């Protein structure tokens, strides 16, 4: 257990439905990251927060994706009008604020869009 | 061409063998990370390097900044080392986000 928890572990949804995932980072970690990983590939960066501020978003994050970290603690990632191509493992990671700090990953949320 | 490339993609070894996984990158970096991913998704950070060499138990990681290359070595490999090993770099120009290689699937047979 790395101390980063994600919920749910698995999500199966029908195309067109909205889904929301939650990440609880290690409590003293200011930085929180979302990554997406498809089978056989390395994770791809989606977005990151420092405290409650969303500092960077990938071009991968279409208008259907939104992430929040309202109080600088837990974060949510919402996907609206899901598509089959959204099926992937969504990984959350957290770290202390220095740029070269070690990342701690959650176990991920596996999304399957039918 | 990917910014981070790993070789080999797949590696099968017998228990006890010395294993090397390679990572090459093409961008300026602030740090290089080696990560281990087991089935089911969990990723564990093994090393973070910006120069030289680090050792933890049977694992050794080296980096050559001039050649833009890093290696992960496993001595006296064991079946429990079977996992995907991922190289990731923190780029100088992209703050703290990581760019990942595609991973090396290691299988160690008893």
């Amino acid at each position: 257990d790395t101390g980063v928890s994600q919920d749910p572990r698995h999500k199966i949804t029908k195309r067109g439905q909205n889904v929301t995932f939650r990440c609880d980072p290690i409590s003293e970690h200011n930085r929180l990251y979302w990554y997406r990983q498809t089978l056989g590939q390395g994770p791809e960066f989606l977005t990151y927060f420092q405290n409650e501020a969303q500092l960077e978003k990938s071009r991968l994050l279409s208008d259907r994706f939104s992430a929040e970290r309202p109080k600088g603690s837990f974060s949510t990632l919402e996907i609206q009008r899901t598509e089959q191509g959204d099926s992937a493992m969504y990984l959350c990671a957290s770290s202390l604020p220095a740029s070269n700090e070690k990342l701690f990953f959650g176990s991920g949320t596996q999304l399957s869009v039918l | 061409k990917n910014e981070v490339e790993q070789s080999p993609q797949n590696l099968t070894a017998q228990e006890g063998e010395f294993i090397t996984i390679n990572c090459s990158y093409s961008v300026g970096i602030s740090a290089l990370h080696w990560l281990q991913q087991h089935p089911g998704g969990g990723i564990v950070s093994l090393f973070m390097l910006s120069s030289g060499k680090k050792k933890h138990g049977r694992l050794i990681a080296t980096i050559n900044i001039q050649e833009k290359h890093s290696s992960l070595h496993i001595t006296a490999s064991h079946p429990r080392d079977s996992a995907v090993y991922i190289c990731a770099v923190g780029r100088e120009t992209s703050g703290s986000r990581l760019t990942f290689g595609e991973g090396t699937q290691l299988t160690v047979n008893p």
Side-chain angles (χ1 to χ4, degrees):
Chain A
D1 182 7
T2 63
V4 179
S5 60
Q6 290 188 245
D7 184 66
R9 289 294 308 274
H10 300 91
K11 178 71 178 178
I12 300 173
T13 191
K14 291 183 179 178
R15 190 177 53 181
Q17 297 293 307
N18 299 344
V19 294
T20 300
F21 311 139
R22 177 179 169 124
C23 172
D24 286 88
I26 294 171
S27 58
E28 61 266 28
H29 284 185
N30 306 72
R31 290 192 171 180
L32 185 148
Y33 308 80
W34 285 101
Y35 288 89
R36 180 173 69 186
Q37 185 178 26
T38 52
L39 199 62
Q41 302 294 315
E44 296 174 295
F45 171 79
L46 293 178
T47 188
Y48 101 91
F49 293 84
Q50 174 129 339
N51 300 313
E52 65 275 11
Q54 188 174 19
L55 296 186
E56 190 174 351
K57 290 171 63 173
S58 165
R59 287 190 296 272
L60 293 174
L61 219 62
S62 76
D63 291 344
R64 297 184 298 105
F65 288 70
S66 62
E68 294 182 341
R69 193 182 183 198
K71 297 181 181 178
S73 56
F74 73 92
S75 175
T76 57
L77 178 67
E78 181 183 16
I79 309 174
Q80 296 183 325
R81 305 181 303 282
T82 52
E83 301 173 356
Q84 287 185 323
D86 297 331
S87 296
M89 174 74 82
Y90 290 83
L91 293 162
C92 174
S94 70
S95 75
L96 291 169
S99 61
N100 288 340
E101 284 294 332
K102 184 175 169 179
L103 287 182
F104 292 80
F105 284 84
S107 297
T109 294
Q110 181 67 55
L111 173 66
S112 298
V113 182
L114 304 177
Chain B
K1 188 173 177 355
N2 292 337
E3 292 176 344
V4 181
E5 295 203 334
Q6 290 184 234
S7 63
Q9 285 188 313
N10 294 282
L11 181 56
T12 301
Q14 288 300 121
E15 185 173 357
E17 285 184 358
F18 180 84
I19 287 162
T20 296
I21 299 170
N22 296 299
C23 175
S24 296
Y25 52 93
S26 57
V27 295
I29 68 168
S30 54
L32 183 142
H33 300 248
W34 281 102
L35 306 147
Q36 181 191 57
Q37 186 170 29
H38 281 284
I43 294 178
V44 175
S45 178
L46 299 174
F47 294 103
M48 187 176 66
L49 296 163
S50 53
S51 64
K53 175 180 172 178
K54 288 190 176 180
K55 184 176 190 291
H56 181 70
R58 295 179 295 107
L59 301 178
I60 303 166
T62 64
I63 188 168
N64 185 318
I65 297 293
Q66 286 73 32
E67 294 185 5
K68 293 193 164 90
H69 181 269
S70 175
S71 293
L72 176 69
H73 305 286
I74 305 175
T75 61
S77 59
H78 190 276
R80 66 174 174 267
D81 297 326
S82 298
V84 176
Y85 291 83
I86 305 174
C87 171
V89 300
R91 294 168 62 187
E92 287 175 334
T93 56
S94 65
S96 56
R97 69 173 172 95
L98 298 182
T99 302
F100 290 77
E102 294 188 348
T104 295
Q105 173 68 62
L106 171 65
T107 303
V108 181
N109 293 318

